Amino acid sequence: MNPAAAQKINIFIPRPNEAPPLDTAGPIGWIRQNLFNGKGNSLLTILALLFLLKTVPALLSWALFKATWVSGAACDATREGACWAFVVEKFRILMVGIYPSPHLWRPAVSFGLLATVVILTLFRLVSARTLAFLWFSLPLPLFWIINGGMGLAHVDQSLWGGLMLSMGLAVVGILFSLPLGILLALGRRSRMASVKALSIGIIELIRGVPLITILFMASVMLPLFLPKGVNINNLLRVQIGVILFSSAYIAEVIRGGLQAIPPGQMEAAVSTGLTHWQATRLVVLPQALRHVIPSIIGRCVALFKDTSLVIIVGLLDFLGMIKASTQDPEWLGYEAEAYVFCALVYWIICFSISRYGRSIEKNNAW
Amino acid sequence: MNQDIVIDITDLNKWYGHFHVLKHINLKVQKGERIVICGPSGSGKSTLIRCINRLEEHQQGSIVVEGTELTTNLKNINDIRKNVGMVFQGFNLFPHLTILENLTLAPTWVRQLPEEKAKKMAMEFLARVHIDSQAHKFPGQLSGGQQQRAAIARALCMNPRIMLFDEPTSALDPEMIKEVLDVMTELAEEGMTMICVTHEMGFARTVADRVIFMDAGEIIEEAPPEDFFTHPTFDRTQLFLNQIRTQSI
């Protein structure tokens, strides 16, 4: 090499890293940047703090500090705090309705089974495939344990109620509406005009009416369409209504996921000799579902809350039992406790499901 | 002679709505022949090769692949696709599967190969395109050139007798183009029947038996590479070649 050219080479030495300015890093930096980064924001922060100061202590005082937990005179005397004895007293009816006492172990075992699967799901203890299998096979043993038959005493479905009924309707609703929704979504994208028209018809018809209407239809109208002699009980009719309602919405969510998959995926799959159906099942659908899992979990939350509407067709779910328990002549005047407890239970369940959805979104894995 | 013709396209016409994309195309491809199709964008070259495995439907004329005519018969279409591999501009690997699973998917489902056998074969093809070390990664973790080589290996896993390449290097960085072209050249040397839509004129010059120039939905010029590049017979071809030369400088 030419020595003159070699002399011109400068050696680059990177500067050492320096600490960021104090007011932009750490907790002080965070507070400055997020709560007090201008007049408007500072004002809002102060107003929000004042609002919290006004409300939170009063709420805590009612719900915790001045609350009584045992029934008796203390509950009626002051009434400055909540009387949680009411909830304790009504706990059984809120959870399982008027399910007969000798068989109470059955809802308990069912809840244990459900909780086990939930824990396996939350902590990702088994593979996705196993999870799917567990969830989809879950309704069968649960139905057997609660309903009876094959060795267990039969418990009539008119005796089911409370949180058990809400959860049952929601879990079975989601599990059945998921495959149905997938079929409807695929049908809506089908190249066969009749299949496509039918799918669009079903989806739009169901999405066009409120759930209450569907529940009324299922409860009141459905028996009129059934042939003579065929008798489906009210709970099953309502469950079918819930499944149909949910599947239409899930179909639209999944359709969104299918549309996000570039057409090249299908082309590449069929160009290797896979049939259209194989390519859909093995290549397009798995990707589409992965995209929409957070939205599907959102639908789970919505459906769980929506099941509270079954009260209008005479089923006493959790909210129904809450309402019924406030009517007890021996326990009048505890609406606040009842509805706060109701809200708290709904919130705990829905918020947990949402957080799980968020964590899936973040990790892109379940 | 006639038995050696593996693709026979006669008076092919295709429309997108009212737009006439392919106009009276005639093309016969012999067994083991390497054909490069070039032309400006929108000339119908991609559409033409996508008609050969029925990713696009044609409205007039006939396409016969290894003695089977492409019609609406789904079974025929599938049989042809099993033996005609395709490589796309955008790789189109399946992002939810590992590279190895990408390769074994079709052999296990279409050829009903046992899983172990499919894996063994897939690893052999990955070694041939020099990315066997990446077998258990997902497509998103690979560079563009590696992804395209994996896509070539995926097509080869079905043991196709014909390979279609739809601008395989157009989405790649310059350094990666060579590694893909090298794999394609090796494949050509093994005697694979290949139809390749590409702007890589160096590849066309060294590998192709025949270069086809298309514009406005028609085949304008069709010649061995030495004739095609040195004395094209149409002014349109000359203009295209000049433009390509000035671009590459």
Side-chain angles (χ1 to χ4, degrees):
Chain A
M1 218 197 203
N2 182 347
Q7 276 170 6
K8 277 187 194 160
I9 298 286
N10 295 318
I11 295 167
F12 167 71
I13 303 166
R15 290 165 195 259
N17 292 330
E18 291 162 23
L22 263 185
D23 58 349
T24 62
I28 297 171
W30 187 89
I31 288 173
R32 277 183 85 121
Q33 281 176 13
N34 292 285
L35 300 179
F36 296 99
N37 67 343
K39 277 186 192 140
N41 202 356
S42 305
L43 188 69
L44 281 178
T45 302
I46 290 164
L47 282 176
L49 280 175
L50 283 176
F51 175 75
L52 289 177
L53 272 177
K54 270 270 183 235
T55 54
V56 172
L59 190 67
L60 285 180
S61 148
W62 177 82
L64 293 177
F65 305 133
K66 290 188 178 161
T68 43
W69 301 83
V70 284
S71 60
C75 246
D76 314 315
T78 56
R79 295 304 286 133
E80 272 181 38
C83 173
W84 294 120
F86 169 79
V87 172
V88 176
E89 172 74 21
K90 298 287 178 193
F91 192 74
R92 190 187 127 194
I93 208 171
L94 294 182
M95 291 300 120
V96 297
I98 48 174
Y99 204 85
S101 319
H103 300 295
L104 275 185
W105 61 272
R106 282 152 66 167
V109 168
S110 308
F111 179 76
L113 277 178
L114 180 65
T116 311
V117 179
V118 166
I119 286 169
L120 289 177
T121 310
L122 287 182
F123 296 97
R124 304 188 173 95
L125 297 176
V126 290
S127 71
R129 199 175 285 250
T130 320
L131 268 186
F133 173 77
L134 284 177
W135 274 109
F136 281 100
S137 52
L138 191 62
L140 218 58
L142 290 194
F143 179 78
W144 173 60
I145 295 173
I146 300 282
N147 184 61
M150 292 199 305
L152 279 173
H154 177 74
V155 176
D156 194 74
Q157 292 176 9
S158 58
L159 302 175
W160 305 5
L163 190 61
M164 177 181 84
L165 184 66
S166 301
M167 285 190 146
L169 283 170
V171 169
V172 173
I174 281 289
L175 289 178
F176 278 80
S177 62
L178 202 58
L180 204 56
I182 290 174
L183 286 181
L184 283 175
L186 290 176
R188 191 164 188 171
R189 285 165 54 93
S190 171
R191 282 174 298 185
M192 282 177 275
S194 54
V195 174
K196 186 173 177 167
L198 189 68
S199 305
I200 293 179
I202 294 174
I203 293 172
E204 295 305 334
L205 184 70
I206 293 174
R207 283 182 356 127
V209 289
L211 177 59
I212 293 190
T213 314
I214 292 177
L215 293 178
F216 266 129
M217 287 280 287
S219 178
V220 181
M221 303 281 288
L222 199 62
L224 301 179
F225 297 124
L226 288 173
K228 275 226 158 68
V230 178
N231 207 356
I232 313 182
N233 70 55
N234 195 29
L235 178 60
L236 185 57
R237 292 200 300 268
V238 165
Q239 180 73 77
I240 291 172
V242 168
I243 290 171
L244 286 178
F245 177 77
S246 169
S247 62
Y249 283 88
I250 284 190
E252 285 300 276
V253 167
I254 289 175
R255 188 168 69 103
L258 289 171
Q259 272 167 348
I261 308 303
Q265 290 290 312
M266 176 57 94
E267 288 175 359
V270 296
S271 80
T272 56
L274 294 168
T275 62
H276 189 85
W277 175 237
Q278 284 174 327
T280 303
R281 193 160 51 90
L282 300 167
V283 175
V284 178
L285 207 50
Q287 295 184 54
L289 287 180
R290 205 164 288 202
H291 281 301
V292 297
I293 281 175
S295 320
I296 288 179
I297 287 179
R299 288 301 319 163
C300 295
V301 172
L303 186 70
F304 178 59
K305 291 185 293 184
D306 284 348
T307 56
S308 56
L309 289 171
V310 299
I311 192 173
I312 59 124
V313 290
L315 294 177
L316 290 177
D317 73 324
F318 184 47
L319 185 63
M321 281 301 173
I322 290 272
K323 198 164 154 39
S325 64
T326 59
Q327 312 295 317
D328 182 349
E330 286 181 31
W331 289 87
L332 285 174
Y334 296 104
E335 280 87 357
E337 285 85 348
Y339 287 109
V340 166
F341 177 67
C342 178
L344 186 70
V345 170
Y346 268 112
W347 181 79
I348 288 173
I349 294 173
C350 294
F351 184 69
S352 315
I353 305 175
S354 298
R355 293 301 302 177
Y356 175 63
R358 282 277 298 153
S359 82
I360 286 180
E361 219 169 329
K362 262 190 185 160
N363 303 330
N364 200 16
W366 62 89
Chain B
M1 172 67 199
N2 216 9
Q3 286 205 325
D4 279 350
I5 291 178
V6 287
I7 300 174
D8 192 346
I9 299 175
T10 319
D11 200 28
L12 180 73
N13 281 286
K14 176 172 174 59
W15 289 264
Y16 285 129
H18 288 284
F19 179 57
H20 201 172
V21 234
L22 294 176
K23 301 174 182 165
H24 304 282
I25 302 284
N26 286 289
L27 178 65
K28 289 185 190 348
V29 182
Q30 301 211 349
K31 194 170 186 297
E33 202 176 8
R34 279 93 60 171
I35 290 179
V36 163
I37 303 177
C38 59
S41 57
S43 58
K45 50 197 191 313
S46 284
T47 309
L48 174 60
I49 72 162
R50 286 161 61 86
C51 281
I52 295 173
N53 66 352
R54 196 73 168 192
L55 289 184
E56 303 282 351
E57 208 171 303
H58 60 273
Q59 281 91 30
Q60 260 177 28
S62 76
I63 304 176
V64 180
V65 182
E66 296 189 306
T68 311
E69 184 174 355
L70 278 169
T71 56
T72 49
N73 183 329
L74 286 177
K75 194 188 166 296
N76 282 354
I77 294 173
N78 245 7
D79 284 344
I80 287 171
R81 283 174 178 166
K82 285 176 198 169
N83 298 318
V84 178
M86 188 162 202
V87 176
F88 300 84
Q89 180 177 355
F91 326 136
N92 298 359
L93 290 172
F94 311 132
H96 63 302
L97 302 176
T98 64
I99 296 298
L100 190 62
E101 288 165 344
N102 264 275
L103 268 67
T104 56
L105 187 71
T108 49
W109 284 92
V110 181
R111 299 251 190 254
Q112 255 98 48
L113 229 57
E115 185 137 343
E116 280 313 305
K117 226 173 162 184
K119 273 186 187 168
K120 194 165 162 281
M121 182 183 69
M123 287 308 294
E124 280 166 21
F125 279 113
L126 283 177
R128 265 180 60 181
V129 298
H130 319 295
I131 46 168
D132 41 333
S133 58
Q134 317 286 324
H136 298 287
K137 289 189 184 166
F138 285 91
Q141 297 169 293
L142 268 59
S143 75
Q146 289 173 326
Q147 287 191 48
Q148 191 60 297
R149 282 183 283 153
I152 294 173
R154 176 177 67 183
L156 292 177
C157 271
M158 285 296 286
N159 288 315
R161 292 189 283 267
I162 299 166
M163 283 286 284
L164 308 173
F165 292 86
D166 188 3
E167 304 204 31
T169 57
S170 300
L172 294 175
D173 290 339
E175 310 99 87
M176 294 171 185
I177 291 178
K178 189 178 173 297
E179 61 188 48
V180 171
L181 289 180
D182 285 347
V183 167
M184 289 167 64
T185 309
E186 281 168 35
L187 201 59
E189 281 160 3
E190 287 161 24
M192 176 72 77
T193 310
M194 291 166 67
I195 302 183
C196 185
V197 172
T198 185
H199 293 138
E200 295 299 325
M201 290 303 125
F203 176 79
R205 204 183 276 272
T206 52
V207 175
D209 298 312
R210 204 159 19 131
V211 182
I212 288 173
F213 175 68
M214 286 181 72
D215 191 20
E218 290 185 69
I219 293 183
I220 295 182
E221 187 114 18
E222 197 178 342
E226 51 270 29
D227 298 339
F228 181 84
F229 289 110
T230 47
H231 36 80
T233 52
F234 278 86
D235 55 339
R236 183 67 189 87
T237 317
Q238 186 65 59
L239 182 70
F240 177 75
L241 288 174
N242 287 344
Q243 276 168 346
I244 279 201
R245 273 179 201 132
T246 44
Q247 271 170 21
S248 60
I249 290 168

